[in-house]
Amino acid sequence: MADCLAEDFEFRSVTTDPTEEQISAVQRVAEYTGRTLANSLGTNALEDIPMLLQIAFPACLASGLSHAVSSWAFEPGNNTFIYGIYQRLRSAEAQATSGRWRALARLYNAHSWSTQPASLVNAILTYISDILLAVGCTAPQSDILSKVTTKFGEKITSLVELAGRLGKMFDEVISSDFEVFIVRPGEKFDDKMMEDMDGDQAGIQEGPVLCTTHLGLIKRMPMGTSLWERGKKQKVTVLKAKVLLESSLNMEVAPF
């Protein structure tokens, strides 16, 4: 995707005199990729554009697809009331009871997903066009979005639908709770839950996380069956999130 779009558009150096449209795009990008990566897009040299796009696009997709999977999940941002009930059930009842309640509640709330894929696809495509605008694309925003939609709309739609089906599959597992996760920009690297895409895997990497490029997966399962263990969970990392550290930029990032 990065190579294709880099060839389809013309770019200008944004090291000086950014446009208001670009400044707005950088601010929007910062909301889902973090300030450091967004600032790097807005202060790049022309030769840095391919590398930055190869970082920003996967980060954008990871952020969007995590919502596609977790939109089925009981998270505070989705439904605070239901989430509160589920948290109390999970802490007071056996896993079989809370897991069954979760599965049934999501089943009967499945209609809420019917309107989400299209809006999420549009959001991801808009994020991609924002990245291109932030990095110095000279085309109008409407033209960028139109071309991105034409080239990648169907592929993004397929990815969002697959992520939604994955979330639905998690509903059917009663014995444990599965959750996808991304690592927030700026968090300290944790080799127990993360894999550094740009580092030496033989050693532990250090430094703040720049962005997540691939989703991680954890499983929450009961610690035991005794009374004192009821409601207590142990968290197991099934799949480490793949991340890039800020040090991978190999460039100075000025405030934007």
Side-chain angles (χ1 to χ4, degrees), residues 150-169:
T150 300
K151 284 212 163 191
F152 298 104
E154 291 186 4
K155 292 181 180 179
I156 299 299
T157 298
S158 296
L159 287 173
V160 169
E161 291 175 349
L162 284 171
R165 288 201 290 270
L166 178 63
K168 191 173 182 180
M169 286 173 56

Side-chain angles (χ1 to χ4, degrees), residues 40-95:
S40 71
L41 296 175
T43 57
N44 69 84
L46 283 174
E47 61 268 21
D48 295 325
I49 289 177
M51 178 267 292
L52 290 170
L53 293 181
Q54 288 175 358
I55 293 174
F57 286 156
C60 165
L61 285 175
S63 177
L65 294 177
S66 70
H67 288 292
V69 179
S70 63
S71 61
W72 289 86
F74 291 137
E75 296 182 344
N78 295 332
N79 191 315
T80 303
F81 178 69
I82 295 180
Y83 178 78
I85 294 176
Y86 179 56
Q87 286 295 92
R88 290 193 291 273
L89 269 171
R90 190 159 63 172
S91 62
E93 300 292 339
Q95 175 66 33

Side-chain angles (χ1 to χ4, degrees), residues 43-243:
T43 57
N44 69 84
L46 283 174
E47 61 268 21
D48 295 325
I49 289 177
M51 178 267 292
L52 290 170
L53 293 181
Q54 288 175 358
I55 293 174
F57 286 156
C60 165
L61 285 175
S63 177
L65 294 177
S66 70
H67 288 292
V69 179
S70 63
S71 61
W72 289 86
F74 291 137
E75 296 182 344
N78 295 332
N79 191 315
T80 303
F81 178 69
I82 295 180
Y83 178 78
I85 294 176
Y86 179 56
Q87 286 295 92
R88 290 193 291 273
L89 269 171
R90 190 159 63 172
S91 62
E93 300 292 339
Q95 175 66 33
T97 302
S98 62
R100 182 62 177 166
W101 186 90
R102 164 179 51 78
L104 287 172
R106 290 180 182 173
L107 174 65
Y108 288 102
N109 192 43
H111 69 278
S112 65
W113 171 250
S114 61
T115 59
Q116 291 183 20
S119 61
L120 186 52
V121 168
N122 290 335
I124 293 175
L125 293 171
T126 301
Y127 294 162
I128 293 172
S129 65
D130 281 341
I131 290 171
L132 289 166
L133 191 60
V135 85
C137 181
T138 58
Q141 186 174 18
S142 58
D143 291 353
I144 299 173
L145 180 58
S146 176
K147 183 170 285 189
V148 168
T149 301
T150 300
K151 284 212 163 191
F152 298 104
E154 291 186 4
K155 292 181 180 179
I156 299 299
T157 298
S158 296
L159 287 173
V160 169
E161 291 175 349
L162 284 171
R165 288 201 290 270
L166 178 63
K168 191 173 182 180
M169 286 173 56
F170 291 158
D171 293 348
E172 300 170 1
V173 180
I174 294 175
S175 59
S176 303
D177 291 337
F178 287 92
E179 301 171 10
V180 298
F181 70 95
I182 59 175
V183 183
R184 293 184 178 182
E187 285 192 17
K188 185 178 180 181
F189 181 78
D190 180 357
D191 68 316
K192 295 179 180 178
M193 299 186 67
M194 309 172 199
E195 177 182 340
D196 180 11
M197 288 286 290
D198 198 36
D200 179 7
Q201 295 306 311
I204 298 177
Q205 305 301 302
E206 296 181 352
V209 169
L210 175 68
C211 63
T212 301
T213 60
H214 295 69
L215 300 177
L217 180 65
I218 59 173
K219 177 172 69 171
R220 299 183 188 274
M221 46 194 281
M223 292 185 62
T225 58
S226 64
L227 184 61
W228 73 270
E229 289 176 319
R230 177 173 294 180
K232 296 182 179 180
K233 304 281 184 178
Q234 56 180 328
K235 183 172 67 174
V236 178
T237 301
V238 179
L239 182 66
K240 293 182 179 181
K242 294 183 179 181
V243 302

Side-chain angles (χ1 to χ4, degrees), residues 19-35 38-39 41-42 130 134 256:
T19 65
E20 290 188 7
E21 195 173 34
Q22 185 211 354
I23 293 173
S24 297
V26 170
Q27 292 172 345
R28 292 192 297 271
V29 169
E31 295 177 4
Y32 54 87
T33 68
R35 175 56 60 182
N39 283 351
L41 296 175
D130 281 341
F256 193 81

